[in-house]
């Protein structure tokens, strides 16, 4: 007798509720996103410099740059470690877009371990009506080691961060590995290292001539 396949007499019954639940799971619009769709947050470029006539105050000539920078970093570290988007945005001169970005990102990202880097904090006065406090800091998140160059201006309400340029220096889980053959260490090639070692050596013994009898 030849084999045969018999269809099920009872058809499979799929409930509409089950279909809807599967459809909901595949609906990407319902999945929580780490940042908003307009992730660029409409940051403004080519805006006017915060000159003294706009701010209504100038940085005093006897300003203690290190002390003032330490105060700014202390507030910055507190707001970022606590994930306080409102307080963080309040540290900036123009903060509408920054508040939106911080609100989206702070639940997933916390920064800590702020440390000053060289050069030391200093007050720059590129123009007679424009001055700012500049300093460089390092900090960490769960994933990266980063740094930031911060320019702050003095307003009638105190110091406000005008610009904060950050960069990820390295991934914690994937540290940069040195070359196994030593031909490149950092930005200095092996040939340059060898040349420097030869030129800077101070030999205790100098052999003149190499003839043999």
């Amino acid at each position: 007798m030849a084999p045969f396949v018999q269809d099920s007499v009872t058809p499979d019954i799929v409930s509409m509720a089950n279909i809807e639940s599967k459809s909901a799971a595949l609906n990407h619009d319902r999945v929580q996103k780490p940042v908003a769709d307009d992730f660029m947050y409409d940051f403004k470029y080519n805006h006017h410099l915060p000159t003294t006539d706009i701010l209504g105050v100038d940085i005093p000539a006897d300003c203690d740059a290190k002390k003032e920078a330490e105060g700014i970093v202390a507030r910055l570290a507190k707001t970022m470690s606590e994930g306080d988007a409102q307080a963080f945005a309040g540290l900036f001169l123009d903060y509408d877009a920054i508040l939106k970005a911080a609100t989206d990102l702070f639940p997933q990202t916390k920064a800590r371990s702020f440390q000053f880097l060289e050069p030391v904090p200093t007050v720059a006065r590129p123009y007679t009506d424009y001055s700012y406090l500049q300093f460089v800091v390092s900090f960490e998140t769960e994933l990266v080691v980063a740094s930031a160059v911060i320019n702050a201006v003095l307003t009638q309400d105190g110091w406000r961060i005008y610009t904060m340029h950050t960069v990820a220096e390295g991934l914690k889980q994937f540290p940069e590995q040195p070359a196994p053959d030593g031909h490149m260490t950092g930005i200095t090639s092996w040939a340059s290292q060898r040349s420097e070692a030869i030129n800077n050596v101070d030999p205790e013994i100098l052999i003149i001539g190499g003839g043999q009898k």
Side-chain angles (χ1 to χ4, degrees):
M1 181 176 180
F4 67 97
V5 178
Q6 180 177 357
D7 293 334
S8 175
V9 177
T10 305
D12 292 335
I13 300 176
V14 181
S15 67
M16 291 302 297
N18 190 29
I19 293 177
E20 290 178 356
S21 65
K22 291 182 178 180
S23 175
L26 297 176
N27 190 342
H28 296 288
D29 291 335
R30 300 185 184 182
V31 178
Q32 185 177 2
K33 302 174 183 178
V35 296
D37 289 330
D38 55 343
F39 59 91
M40 286 303 293
Y41 302 107
D42 297 326
F43 285 120
K44 295 189 300 181
Y45 298 93
N46 300 323
H47 47 73
H48 296 292
L49 289 175
T51 54
T52 53
D53 58 330
I54 294 176
L55 299 176
V57 63
D58 194 7
I59 300 176
D62 60 349
C63 172
D64 188 337
K66 183 176 183 295
K67 178 181 178 181
E68 300 299 339
E70 288 174 346
I72 297 172
V73 172
R75 295 191 294 273
L76 186 65
K78 183 176 186 296
T79 58
M80 295 189 75
S81 63
E82 295 176 352
D84 189 338
Q86 187 70 50
F88 173 78
L91 297 175
F92 288 80
L93 184 64
D94 185 6
Y95 59 81
D96 289 339
I98 293 173
L99 175 59
K100 186 177 181 182
T103 301
D104 287 339
L105 296 174
F106 275 12
Q108 290 83 27
T109 304
K110 300 290 190 301
R112 60 182 183 275
S113 302
F114 283 81
Q115 300 289 335
F116 281 99
L117 299 176
E118 293 184 347
V120 298
T122 183
V123 174
R125 303 180 188 274
Y127 305 105
T128 56
D129 60 346
Y130 174 53
S131 57
Y132 57 88
L133 170 64
Q134 184 177 86
F135 51 93
V136 186
V137 295
S138 64
F139 62 94
E140 298 180 10
T141 69
E142 291 294 331
L143 300 178
V144 302
V145 176
S147 64
V149 178
I150 299 175
N151 293 329
V153 294
L154 185 61
T155 72
Q156 294 181 346
D157 297 321
W159 290 99
R160 293 293 184 271
I161 297 175
Y162 174 47
T163 61
M164 180 175 175
H165 300 280
T166 61
V167 60
E169 302 288 355
L171 298 173
K172 288 185 174 180
Q173 297 179 357
F174 303 95
E176 184 177 357
Q177 299 296 322
D181 57 2
H183 275 69
M184 197 70 181
T185 303
I187 60 175
T188 305
S189 67
W190 178 87
S192 298
Q193 294 180 58
R194 181 61 176 165
S195 176
E196 182 179 352
I198 294 175
N199 294 334
N200 294 338
V201 70
D202 186 12
E204 296 180 358
I205 300 175
L206 179 61
I207 301 176
I208 301 176
Q212 295 182 353
K213 293 183 180 180

